[in-house]
Amino acid sequence: MKNKSLFFILGSNSFTSSHFIKYLISKKHKVICTSRSKELQQHFLAYKKKNDYSNFYKLDLNKDLNKILRLIKKKKPNYIINFASQSMVGQSWEHPIDWYNTNVISSIKLIDGIKKNKFIKKFVHISTPEVYGSTKYNLRENFNFNPTTPYAISRACFDNHLLSMYKYFDFPVVFTRASNVYGPCQRLYRIIPASIISATSNNKLKLEGGGKSRRNFIYVEDVAKATYKIALKGKTGESYHISSNEIISIKELVKKVFKISKSKKYNKNVYYTSDRVGKDKIYFLNSNKLRKELNWKSKVNLSEGIKKTLIWFNENKKKIIKAKKFYIHRK
């Protein structure tokens, strides 16, 4: 394929990255996929269909860094998209060293190994709004970091390192921070698929803090298209927020899922607990910068996105219900 860029994906098994890879393939780009686990089954991996545009390598950022660096040097990708991280928030209190090892130490070693590779046009770092902490402000990209959990602290640390690499060594990094992403193929312990399972079965669903925390949710395909625009046209050294304009409490979100699922089991299956330590009560990302500078807009509203996710669930239900419905920590 003439004039098509080569994309190198770190953390290709993640929910958001698999949809981004699917979008890249639809654009006929060549893709190198790397993840510490073998490729997931198709119902949890959006791009996992027979195609001639992607190659997968089972490589762990903590254990196989030199192999990753050699592969990057050999393949000479135009764009490196970094989805790799220890990503669970609550569990980061239990094993904080693992979060710092992956999200800080190994990640910094990666940058140190590729910083002189001139063939890299852009290093797109998929960050998180958790770095801002809890705030009622309409968050713009220049808002100060105030992380409140080991997960958030580790992500903020690496973000700052990358920003210094840009300022003093002209490293071509650009940052993305998306609000709560959802859609087909998402892991079952995330709130929307967990709500669908509870609405369509007898599985109990706990809402920490009574589900009062408020969030913005955005459909995963909208995020994939935004990430693509940012990779190609985003300004190095800049951050871009990816969000819709809908904000909702977790409690109301779950009720919406039950309603769309035509379930009357909310009072029976949903119960409330106290909040976890350091949980952010609210954040709302302002995505005007992305909308104005790169001409992006979110197209799928929350109700429509939940319906699309429910279709995925029903089409794969026999396989999905056999999968683990809780997070299993790995170093």
Side-chain angles (χ1 to χ4, degrees), residues 89-91 191 205-213 215 250-251 270-277 279 281:
V89 180
Q91 288 80 355
I191 187 61
L205 178 67
K206 73 173 181 179
L207 296 187
E208 295 172 337
K212 294 179 181 178
S213 58
R215 295 290 186 267
I250 301 300
K251 180 179 179 179
V270 179
Y271 67 100
Y272 307 139
T273 68
S274 58
D275 243 338
R276 59 174 167 76
V277 177
K279 185 176 181 180
K281 301 297 182 183

Side-chain angles (χ1 to χ4, degrees), residues 84-258:
S85 72
Q86 289 277 15
S87 61
M88 297 299 287
V89 180
Q91 288 80 355
S92 69
W93 289 105
E94 299 169 14
H95 309 279
I97 292 175
D98 295 341
W99 267 253
Y100 293 123
N101 278 338
T102 301
N103 297 348
V104 183
I105 303 302
S106 292
S107 296
I108 289 175
K109 288 180 179 178
L110 169 73
I111 301 305
D112 195 53
I114 66 173
K115 63 185 179 183
K116 294 181 180 179
N117 293 336
K118 300 300 181 183
F119 52 78
I120 301 172
K121 292 182 179 179
K122 202 81 62 70
F123 181 93
V124 182
H125 179 56
I126 311 302
S127 184
T128 171
E130 296 275 351
V131 297
Y132 299 125
S134 182
T135 175
K136 296 181 179 179
Y137 293 108
N138 192 344
L139 291 170
R140 296 184 182 276
E141 286 82 355
N142 61 354
F143 199 82
N144 291 333
F145 289 178
N146 186 30
T148 56
T149 65
Y151 165 72
I153 294 167
S154 69
R155 300 305 302 275
C157 179
F158 185 49
D159 284 14
N160 279 327
H161 178 77
L162 283 171
L163 191 57
S164 294
M165 292 300 296
Y166 163 73
K167 288 181 178 178
Y168 300 113
F169 301 98
D170 203 29
F171 184 70
V173 64
V174 62
F175 302 86
T176 77
R177 296 189 183 94
S179 53
N180 293 62
V181 187
Y182 73 98
C185 300
Q186 192 167 28
R187 305 300 188 273
L188 302 183
Y189 46 80
R190 298 299 188 182
I191 187 61
I192 288 181
S195 298
I196 291 174
I197 290 172
S198 184
T200 57
S201 69
N202 291 321
N203 277 44
K204 303 299 181 181
L205 178 67
K206 73 173 181 179
L207 296 187
E208 295 172 337
K212 294 179 181 178
S213 58
R214 301 174 67 206
R215 295 290 186 267
N216 172 270
F217 286 81
I218 184 163
Y219 192 62
V220 66
E221 289 180 1
D222 283 335
V223 177
K225 294 173 183 178
T227 306
Y228 184 69
K229 281 182 173 286
I230 292 166
L232 266 59
K233 298 181 179 180
K235 297 177 182 178
T236 55
E238 296 289 326
S239 299
Y240 294 89
H241 288 167
I242 309 172
S243 70
S244 70
N245 291 318
E246 298 177 270
I247 191 165
I248 188 171
S249 72
I250 301 300
K251 180 179 179 179
E252 291 304 314
L253 170 72
V254 174
K255 285 185 174 181
K256 181 184 282 287
V257 171
F258 272 69

Side-chain angles (χ1 to χ4, degrees), residues 11-122:
S12 60
N13 271 350
S14 77
F15 161 60
T16 311
S17 67
S18 73
H19 279 272
F20 178 65
I21 294 165
K22 180 182 178 182
Y23 188 71
L24 290 176
I25 291 171
S26 75
K27 295 289 187 180
K28 302 296 189 289
H29 289 291
K30 291 286 187 178
V31 187
I32 303 296
C33 305
T34 67
S35 185
R36 68 178 180 174
S37 303
K38 65 181 182 179
E39 284 186 300
L40 302 175
Q41 293 174 300
Q42 186 173 316
H43 49 280
F44 285 122
L45 204 63
Y47 74 86
K48 183 79 181 289
K49 291 184 178 180
K50 186 174 177 58
N51 67 78
D52 298 322
Y53 296 98
S54 68
N55 290 296
F56 176 79
Y57 297 85
K58 183 178 178 295
L59 296 170
D60 188 319
L61 185 63
N62 292 317
K63 300 175 183 178
D64 304 309
L65 179 60
N66 288 333
K67 292 181 180 179
I68 292 173
L69 295 177
R70 286 197 295 268
L71 185 61
I72 290 173
K73 189 173 182 178
K74 178 182 177 181
K75 298 295 185 179
K76 294 181 171 54
N78 308 107
Y79 300 92
I80 297 178
I81 318 296
N82 183 33
F83 290 91
S85 72
Q86 289 277 15
S87 61
M88 297 299 287
V89 180
Q91 288 80 355
S92 69
W93 289 105
E94 299 169 14
H95 309 279
I97 292 175
D98 295 341
W99 267 253
Y100 293 123
N101 278 338
T102 301
N103 297 348
V104 183
I105 303 302
S106 292
S107 296
I108 289 175
K109 288 180 179 178
L110 169 73
I111 301 305
D112 195 53
I114 66 173
K115 63 185 179 183
K116 294 181 180 179
N117 293 336
K118 300 300 181 183
F119 52 78
I120 301 172
K121 292 182 179 179
K122 202 81 62 70

